[in-house]
Amino acid sequence: MDETLPPCPKCSGEYTYQMGTLLACPECAHEWTPDATATGVAEKGVIRDAVGNVLADGDTITVIKSLKVKGSPTGIKAGTKVRNIRLVPGVGDHDIECKVDGIGAMQLKSSVVRKA
């Protein structure tokens, strides 16, 4: 086998295989085209919200899903606006640092917010 396949862009699994024109990962069942891998490398530092908008430091976001917060009886309700976010790529799944009114400083996933 001379050809080396790229790792899975979703879970970084190394056991990818080719299935017709697609690449597939047996670990997380993610399927993608080889062209999608090339564009993903170019946008590695870009963080997008749940809708696909590019986020930047200082943006205002809206939480789109109610979230439970450990130690808080109410949590964060859907529709809560958060101002002046800071992006921190590479800290697990949580790539947004912010201060939520009534809760305090915390980290959020970009998949549960949208740009306001």
Side-chain angles (χ1 to χ4, degrees):
M1 199 184 242
D2 296 340
E3 182 181 338
T4 58
L5 296 173
C8 175
K10 188 172 183 182
C11 72
S12 300
E14 59 186 42
Y15 302 109
T16 58
Y17 60 93
Q18 192 160 3
M19 186 174 63
T21 59
L22 296 175
L23 295 176
C25 176
E27 297 176 18
C28 68
H30 180 67
E31 297 176 353
W32 71 99
T33 60
D35 297 335
T37 306
T39 58
V41 171
E43 294 187 276
K44 191 160 183 104
V46 176
I47 297 176
R48 296 182 180 270
D49 65 1
V51 183
N53 298 322
V54 177
L55 296 173
D57 286 343
D59 281 347
T60 299
I61 57 173
T62 304
V63 179
I64 61 171
K65 176 180 170 185
S66 294
L67 304 171
K68 294 180 181 177
V69 178
K70 198 177 212 178
S72 172
T74 59
I76 302 173
K77 294 183 180 180
T80 302
K81 282 194 175 189
V82 180
R83 292 173 180 32
N84 199 17
I85 65 168
R86 194 175 89 188
L87 302 178
V88 286
V91 184
D93 293 347
H94 299 77
D95 43 14
I96 299 173
E97 282 188 355
C98 58
K99 288 185 182 177
V100 180
D101 291 339
I103 305 289
M106 64 181 337
Q107 293 182 338
L108 296 173
K109 293 181 181 182
S110 58
S111 61
V112 296
V113 301
R114 70 176 168 85
K115 195 170 184 176

